[in-house]
């Protein structure tokens, strides 16, 4: 793939060719387009149900699927077989993650961006976007609402690519976020895990970001299809370099970042191809860097201001295919976190729970400064796209509790070394569940006491009591310590974890 030269100066210095080529094999990357297309074509007839069931048994044994197996699942159309796939996806989720769901909020710190992605409202050509970047005081005010009023413990902080929010700004803003402490009904609250969705960086810059207390580092490839990538990202922009982005996570791991999140923007190109490529990406990370992706995101394209993509775009993904994408990801990488955001409507997000999704956001505002403004309306000129699910965290938790799910605010993993290869092995073996269950219940209790509305408490407290009973029966050796922590939380102590 050829790249137009970037203008000299800031943009021209960002891409380090040596930090791309060193991960390649004899100059080749890991996305074998022809092979992906061939695999999809090879299993184009309706697959044999026995073969499908063998694959499902493999997923249920918490084993990764091969690309051939993923292609075969993609080609299942029989309704009864699809329902078996969905039911197995849920079983896999429950086996690895039990009835826990993790919640977070997106936090957009600015909308300056030098890139010109054809689908994004922040793109540099969009003259109708009101540009803003939050200063320290504004960040503090946002976090006071996020952590102190809503009760979030995890954020995905989102950055455009621009000299105004380069690595020094990212590091400083992460420090500001972690520093905010707010008094709550019974204790204090703060953000305990800052995940970052940002452009690709050099290894040197990624080390700085990691040292600032990074949780997961997310970069979505958007599309793995080279021609479509070139159409969406002009060649004379930084993002126009397909390989700089494709190896962002290899560099992150070299920089010591254990948890990386990959994703594709579904709707830019054929979803079957993107799904295969996503699985190829996590396999490539595992092969070369020793551990695959910690999370996979599958954002679906939504209309944005000035986007070139209209309703007649041929690759837009309908709900039925979108459900299939989710269940196949769950089956293909059984222990990897799956994130669905409030881009999607509540009904689809509820379906996603039945297909193995593990993380979702709530009370989300993606307008810059939207939390402190308590903006309830959507502000199209200041945000990247329009949200599909505007439920508050309290409402989401109530809905989840009604479905038997407990919401985990646990952030212990990365703070006591259960990250990267270690967490993936624990999840594969089922051992992580032992810590997670205890910490999930403790942090859920903490949230209920500090933030729940009356209706939510009424639904959630019996769920917690039931979980306590389960811990007593299944983990008797940990029960006394757990109950001691639980009692301390009831008295207002915060941030206790096992
Ligand atoms: N600027 C960074 C980058 O591009 O990697 C991170 C921020 S960007 C705002 C985060 C993600 O939003 C992108 O990776 C893309 O997948 C998603 N996105 C952009 N436009 C979108 C749209 N119209 N609908 C849905 N998701 C979109
Ligand atoms: Fe900038 Fe990211 Fe939007 Fe592209 S997707 S225009 S890089 S903010």
């Amino acid at each position: 793939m050829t790249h137009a030269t970037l203008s000299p100066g800031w943009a021209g210095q960002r891409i380090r060719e040596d930090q791309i080529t060193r991960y390649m094999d004899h100059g080749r990357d890991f996305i074998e387009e022809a092979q992906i297309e061939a695999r999809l074509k090879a299993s184009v007839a309706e697959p044999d149900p026995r073969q499908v069931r063998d694959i499902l048994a493999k997923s249920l044994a918490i084993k990764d699927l091969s690309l051939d197996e993923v292609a075969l699942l993609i080609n299942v159309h029989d309704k009864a077989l699809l329902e078996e796939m969905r039911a197995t996806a849920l079983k896999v989720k429950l086996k690895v993650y039990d009835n826990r769901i993790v919640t977070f909020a997106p936090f957009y710190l600015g909308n300056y961006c030098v890139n010109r992605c054809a689908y994004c409202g922040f793109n540099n050509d969009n003259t109708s976007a009101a540009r803003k970047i939050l200063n320290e005081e504004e960040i503090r005010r946002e976090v006071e609402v996020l952590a102190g009023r809503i009760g979030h413990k995890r954020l995905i902080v989102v950055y455009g690519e621009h000299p105004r929010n380069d690595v020094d700004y990212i590091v400083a803003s992460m420090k500001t976020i972690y520093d905010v402490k707010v008094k709550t009904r019974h204790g204090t609250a703060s953000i305990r895990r800052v995940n970052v969705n940002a452009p690709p960086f050099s290894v040197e810059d990624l080390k700085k970001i990691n040292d600032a207390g990074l949780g997961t580092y997310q970069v979505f490839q958007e599309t793995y299809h080279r021609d479509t990538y070139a159409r969406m990202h002009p060649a004379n922009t930084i993002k126009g370099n397909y390989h700089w982005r494709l190896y962002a996570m290899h560099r992150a791991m070299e920089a010591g970042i254990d948890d990386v999140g990959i994703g594709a923007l579904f709707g830019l190109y054929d979803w079957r191809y993107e799904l295969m490529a996503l699985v190829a990406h996590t396999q490539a990370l595992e092969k070369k860097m020793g551990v695959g992706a910690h999370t996979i995101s599958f954002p679906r394209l939504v209309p944005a201001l000035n986007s070139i993509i209209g309703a007649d775009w041929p690759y837009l993904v309908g709900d039925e295919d979108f459900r299939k994408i989710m269940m196949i990801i769950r089956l293909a990488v059984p222990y990897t976190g799956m994130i669905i955001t409030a881009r999607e409507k509540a009904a689809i997000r509820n379906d996603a729970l039945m297909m193995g999704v593990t993380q979702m956001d709530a009370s989300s505002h993606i307008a810059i400064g939207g939390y402190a403004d308590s903006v309830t309306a959507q502000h199209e000129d200041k945000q990247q796209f329009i949200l599909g699910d505007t439920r508050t965290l309290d409402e989401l938790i109530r809905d989840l509790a009604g479905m038997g799910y407990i919401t985990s605010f646990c952030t212990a993993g990365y703070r006591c070394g259960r990250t990267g290869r270690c967490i993936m092995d624990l999840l594969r073996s089922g051992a992580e569940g032992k810590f997670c269950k205890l910490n999930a219940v403790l942090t859920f209790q903490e949230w209920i006491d500090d933030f729940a509305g009356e209706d939510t408490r009424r639904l959630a407290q019996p769920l917690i009591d039931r979980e306590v009973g389960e811990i007593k029966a299944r983990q008797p050796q940990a029960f006394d310590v757990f109950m001691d922590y639980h009692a301390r939380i009831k008295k207002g102590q915060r941030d206790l974890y096992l």
Side-chain angles (χ1 to χ4, degrees):
M1 184 176 284
T2 53
H3 298 294
T5 320
L6 289 168
S7 55
W10 185 84
Q13 285 163 16
R14 288 189 65 79
I15 294 173
R16 300 267 306 274
E17 280 302 325
D18 62 313
Q19 293 193 10
I20 297 173
T21 48
R22 69 175 177 235
Y23 306 109
M24 291 180 146
D25 294 314
H26 309 293
R28 290 172 70 91
D29 68 48
F30 53 84
I31 298 294
E32 309 272 6
E33 275 192 19
Q35 275 194 30
I36 292 178
E37 304 282 11
R39 282 189 164 104
L40 284 168
K41 276 205 189 96
S43 59
V44 93
E46 187 68 45
D48 178 347
R50 278 170 310 181
Q51 243 183 318
V52 174
R53 288 187 187 119
D54 285 347
I55 296 173
L56 297 185
K58 193 174 167 190
S59 298
L60 207 48
I62 317 302
K63 297 215 164 54
D64 295 313
L65 300 186
S66 68
L67 287 180
D68 285 329
E69 290 164 335
V70 174
L72 196 124
L73 294 184
I74 285 173
N75 286 308
V76 172
H77 295 101
D78 176 76
K79 277 212 163 57
L81 218 44
L82 280 170
E83 177 47 28
E84 275 183 53
M85 282 167 58
R86 191 210 54 75
T88 310
L90 181 60
K91 277 189 201 152
V92 167
K93 146 75 174 71
L94 293 174
K95 198 166 173 184
V96 178
Y97 290 93
D98 204 352
N99 61 340
R100 297 183 299 275
I101 297 293
V102 161
T103 54
F104 65 92
F107 182 19
Y108 283 67
L109 292 198
N111 59 0
Y112 281 93
C113 190
V114 295
N115 291 312
R116 299 184 358 246
C117 309
Y119 44 83
C120 177
F122 291 172
N123 92 64
N124 201 33
D125 293 335
N126 183 1
T127 47
S128 43
R131 302 284 169 177
K132 178 157 178 61
I133 181 165
L134 299 183
N135 63 30
E136 191 180 328
E137 189 42 43
E138 288 165 329
I139 293 173
R140 206 174 285 281
R141 270 195 280 135
E142 292 282 282
V143 178
E144 280 165 4
V145 176
L146 281 158
R149 209 179 312 154
I150 303 170
H152 280 296
K153 311 280 183 228
R154 289 173 181 249
L155 300 179
I156 289 188
V157 188
V158 185
Y159 302 88
E161 186 154 38
H162 195 274
R164 293 183 69 159
N165 51 265
D166 202 356
V167 64
D168 293 336
Y169 175 83
I170 293 180
V171 167
S173 58
M174 287 172 70
K175 185 177 175 333
T176 305
I177 292 168
Y178 277 127
D179 279 351
V180 174
K181 308 273 180 278
V182 194
K183 271 204 85 51
T184 57
R185 288 205 288 244
H186 298 286
T188 51
S190 61
I191 296 298
R192 299 179 189 157
R193 182 169 171 117
V194 174
N195 301 325
V196 161
N197 182 310
F201 287 100
S202 67
V203 173
E204 294 74 13
D205 283 350
L206 287 164
K207 280 186 180 155
K208 292 184 197 165
I209 296 172
N210 197 30
D211 288 346
L214 176 67
T216 305
Y217 174 54
Q218 281 188 339
V219 176
F220 305 153
Q221 185 63 23
E222 321 298 11
T223 171
Y224 289 89
H225 187 252
R226 290 174 184 77
D227 284 352
T228 308
Y229 192 93
R231 252 181 107 182
M232 297 296 148
H233 309 102
N236 60 352
T237 61
I238 304 168
K239 195 151 166 180
N241 190 317
Y242 177 91
H243 283 127
W244 179 240
R245 199 163 181 92
L246 192 65
Y247 286 102
M249 294 317 182
H250 286 66
R251 289 194 296 281
M253 287 186 173
E254 188 178 328
I257 296 172
D258 287 332
D259 295 342
V260 302
I262 62 172
L265 182 51
F266 280 91
L268 294 179
Y269 183 61
D270 186 347
W271 65 265
R272 298 163 192 84
Y273 175 93
E274 304 290 14
L275 184 46
M276 295 281 283
L278 264 179
V279 176
H281 193 170
T282 188
Q283 287 177 353
L285 284 167
E286 172 129 23
K287 191 164 163 214
K288 187 140 293 192
M289 310 308 286
V291 54
H294 183 68
T295 57
I296 293 188
S297 298
F298 33 91
R300 189 158 53 151
L301 199 63
V302 291
L305 216 60
N306 281 8
S307 167
I308 63 158
I309 295 173
D312 56 345
W313 186 253
Y315 299 114
L316 296 177
V317 179
D319 287 352
E320 205 170 310
D321 286 337
F322 190 62
R323 289 192 193 94
K324 200 165 168 186
I325 291 168
M326 292 192 278
M327 67 174 96
I328 295 177
I329 295 176
R330 178 69 302 144
L331 294 165
V333 280
Y335 45 82
T336 302
M338 285 175 66
I339 303 176
I340 188 164
T341 68
R343 288 174 179 92
E344 297 295 338
K345 294 198 165 48
I348 282 281
R349 299 220 299 167
N350 288 344
D351 287 352
L353 292 167
M354 308 311 282
M355 287 162 194
V357 161
T358 57
Q359 298 193 23
M360 52 208 315
D361 56 334
S363 285
S364 300
H365 285 295
I366 58 172
I368 319 299
Y371 292 101
D373 286 352
S374 292
V375 186
T376 44
Q378 304 286 332
H379 281 228
E380 292 184 23
D381 60 338
K382 277 200 238 160
Q383 68 189 44
Q384 192 192 10
F385 45 78
I386 318 302
L387 288 180
D389 183 358
T390 51
R391 275 179 291 177
T392 64
L393 184 58
D394 189 63
E395 285 166 339
L396 179 74
I397 287 178
R398 195 185 321 147
D399 288 353
L400 289 173
M403 295 162 86
Y405 286 98
I406 60 169
T407 304
S408 174
F409 290 92
C410 171
T411 51
Y414 87 109
R415 294 191 288 169
C416 51
R418 293 198 292 274
T419 58
R421 170 99 239 164
C422 169
I423 183 86
M424 287 323 211
D425 287 346
L426 285 168
L427 285 170
R428 264 194 193 120
S429 69
E432 172 64 3
K434 293 201 180 89
F435 295 106
C436 290
K437 174 86 142 182
L438 306 176
N439 288 326
V441 175
L442 292 173
T443 53
F444 194 28
Q445 184 70 68
E446 192 183 318
W447 189 87
I448 297 291
D449 289 355
D450 277 343
F451 298 104
E454 225 8 81
D455 291 346
T456 305
R457 175 193 294 280
R458 222 175 296 125
L459 263 178
Q461 193 59 52
L463 204 56
I464 292 190
D465 299 343
R466 197 182 77 195
E467 296 288 324
V468 172
E470 261 184 37
I471 293 168
K472 188 174 184 185
R474 292 202 198 152
Q475 294 173 255
Q477 72 294 351
F479 190 65
D480 287 348
V481 182
F482 168 79
M483 285 313 284
D484 173 49
Y485 276 49
H486 188 257
R488 283 155 63 189
I489 281 171
K490 293 297 294 173
K491 284 190 194 133
Q493 270 196 49
R494 293 290 172 257
D495 204 12
L496 300 175
Y497 53 87
L498 293 150

